[in-house]
Amino acid sequence: MKKPDYLKWDEYFMGIALLSTERSKDPSTSVGACIVSQDNKILSVGYNGMPIGCSDDDFPWNREGSPYDTKYFYVCHAEMNAILNYTGTAMHDAKIYTTLFPCNECTKALIQKGIKEIIYMCDKYSETDSVRASKRMLDASGVTYRLYEPINKDITLSL
Ligand SMILES: Nc1nc(=O)n([C@H]2C[C@H](O)[C@@H](COP(=O)(O)O)O2)cc1CO
Ligand SMILES: [Zn+2]
């Protein structure tokens, strides 16, 4: 008989998104994303971080202050990095697992790339205009989104 407690697809892909958050240097919110084809092949992963060449040590991680001195002008979102990290050409009808609901800017890009489903773990900015706009676009374009339902399984990675 096969092992009963193996990871289901959702757990596997959200697990990879979650592991990717560990690469983020953002002191307040670490985000991870994993793009998966319809037939469950991993296409790409990403996490929020500064653009190539923009040192994590020199660029600001502040949330407040003049926009020029906050992270918001510089940081690449996990979802955008996952899109940009993909080097293939077949993202159509894919799905994205993300630890945080996508903002309006990433949502535009996800729609344009042909992503058809978003599975998210957290929607802590649901009241913001950005996320409201994301849902407006997703609803209009027929892209579905659903909250990931966690299982009661702790995975410990000892490296
Ligand atoms: N969907 C998202 N993906 C992301 O990668 N981010 C990133 C941008 C920032 O680095 C961080 C949010 O910082 P804070 O405002 O919670 O301190 O997460 C943010 C969102 C929210 O829409
Ligand atoms: Zn975004």
Side-chain angles (χ1 to χ4, degrees):
M1 203 184 79
K2 72 179 178 184
K3 183 172 74 135
D5 60 343
Y6 63 91
L7 287 183
K8 306 295 179 292
W9 288 122
D10 270 7
E11 294 145 15
Y12 180 43
F13 299 131
M14 193 57 91
I16 288 166
L18 261 176
L19 179 64
S20 306
T21 67
E22 294 291 326
R23 284 282 309 152
S24 175
K25 321 297 180 305
D26 192 313
S28 57
T29 305
S30 298
V31 186
C34 179
I35 299 176
V36 180
S37 70
Q38 248 190 344
D39 57 347
N40 294 320
K41 306 274 170 33
I42 294 171
L43 300 180
S44 184
V45 290
Y47 56 87
N48 55 328
M50 292 298 168
I52 295 165
C54 303
S55 164
D56 299 326
D57 298 312
D58 299 338
F59 277 70
W61 288 108
N62 310 322
R63 307 182 77 219
E64 282 160 17
S66 122
Y68 181 81
D69 293 316
T70 72
K71 63 185 172 184
Y72 298 109
F73 266 19
Y74 309 103
V75 75
C76 293
H77 288 191
E79 304 91 319
M80 185 167 90
N81 271 334
I83 292 173
L84 296 173
N85 288 341
Y86 180 58
T87 51
T89 54
M91 203 181 278
H92 235 83
D93 297 334
K95 47 194 173 174
I96 185 166
Y97 289 80
T98 178
T99 59
L100 183 57
F101 202 97
C103 76
N104 62 305
E105 293 296 338
C106 291
T107 293
K108 292 178 206 175
L110 294 169
I111 293 170
Q112 295 302 69
K113 276 294 195 183
I115 298 270
K116 287 293 180 302
E117 186 180 20
I118 295 170
I119 303 100
Y120 60 96
M121 251 186 87
C122 166
D123 194 8
K124 67 177 176 173
Y125 294 128
S126 63
E127 303 302 318
T128 63
D129 282 342
S130 169
V131 171
R132 290 179 56 230
S134 290
K135 290 173 184 168
R136 183 178 182 177
M137 289 186 276
L138 296 168
D139 292 343
S141 21
V143 175
T144 57
Y145 43 92
R146 63 179 164 89
L147 181 67
Y148 170 71
E149 283 169 29
I151 43 152
N152 289 325
K153 184 175 170 106
D154 280 331
I155 301 171
T156 307
L157 297 172
S158 308
L159 303 174

